[in-house]
Amino acid sequence: MRDNLILRVIAKALIPVILLYAFYVQFHGDFSPGGGFQAGVIFSTAILLYALVFGMDKAADVLSDRVLIALASGGVLLYAGVGVASLLLGGNYLDYNVLADDPVAGQHIGIILIELGVGMTVASTMLLIFFTFARRMVIR
Amino acid sequence: MALTIDIFLLLFLIATAIGILRTRHLFAMAMMFGLYSLLVASLFLLMDAPDVAFTEAAVGTGIATVLMLATLAATRRSSEKPRQRFSPSALIITLSTTALLFYGTLDLPNFGDPQAPLHTEMAGRFIEQGQQDTGVPNLVTAVLASYRGFDTLGEVTVVFTAGVGVLLLLKRRRKPVVRGKSHAR
């Protein structure tokens, strides 16, 4: 795959756009279709395309397993942490109203944070699963 | 117009499903699963559910196809020829299950029925109060992230658990662990 000039050029042009779109879907999910889950999958697609065209090793240089595992567990922790934070601030678990003085502002903060947690976990877990499968393929 | 597109998409869906059933070529099967997901995503879009269509297109067509191809490459690419024997008991079980499922759908409210409990109980409150409660224009996000935040936490945990499971099962350790003789009991 490494000598395939057309694939390499097209992939190089596409990957930044896909990444940008993933961030748009992530942070614009309150206003338009999308959210953390979709953004995470789109983000992982960009890295996946990179891994398929430029090779697994180069992709692993960008995002090593250690980083991916930290991101995957960090996302779940962030989500659950928002719940704990609202508990500590005197509300129910995952009740965002208490996160700020204004309930609506609190809802905004809560939703953006948990969507970020979802995005982190989904993107890194998809990549982890793919990398793990693909490494076995290389070894065989 | 929408009805025509619906019928065309559903016909293609059936054709793809039959194609998946009939082909014995696993690579072609994986690609047709991707096509199937894309058709389903188009149907969701026609039903005014862009959020679901988005997920179906990204996960079903993108990630799932690539994962299936990676699995095919990692395992041996062989498929058994199915036995062509006709089995009456299997036919009876399939037909009676189908009949039961259809019987079950009789109790469901009609598609799009405004009097269905789904539309009269919680949905109305979400639509009327969602904007004031959360300040988020996209109701799907408001429901998923705020009203049903607990469920979404569960979903994220499921995704995380799947990743942990794959890592535990398939990750190659640096050195194979061999029980030394000193530890033998």
Side-chain angles (χ1 to χ4, degrees), chain A residues 90-113:
Chain A
N92 287 326
Y93 191 70
L94 288 175
D95 174 13
Y96 313 133
N97 283 347
V98 293
L99 289 178
D101 295 333
D102 178 26
V104 173
Q107 288 281 343
H108 253 289
I109 297 173
I111 288 175
I112 284 180
L113 280 179

Side-chain angles (χ1 to χ4, degrees), chain A residues 45-100:
Chain A
T45 320
I47 309 288
L48 231 147
L49 180 63
Y50 185 79
L52 286 176
V53 174
F54 295 95
M56 295 289 306
D57 299 334
K58 287 204 171 167
D61 285 346
V62 182
L63 283 168
S64 67
D65 273 13
R66 192 181 281 266
V67 174
L68 286 176
I69 291 171
L71 275 176
S73 35
V76 179
L77 274 178
L78 179 63
Y79 199 139
V82 172
V84 174
S86 60
L87 265 187
L88 290 178
L89 288 169
N92 287 326
Y93 191 70
L94 288 175
D95 174 13
Y96 313 133
N97 283 347
V98 293
L99 289 178

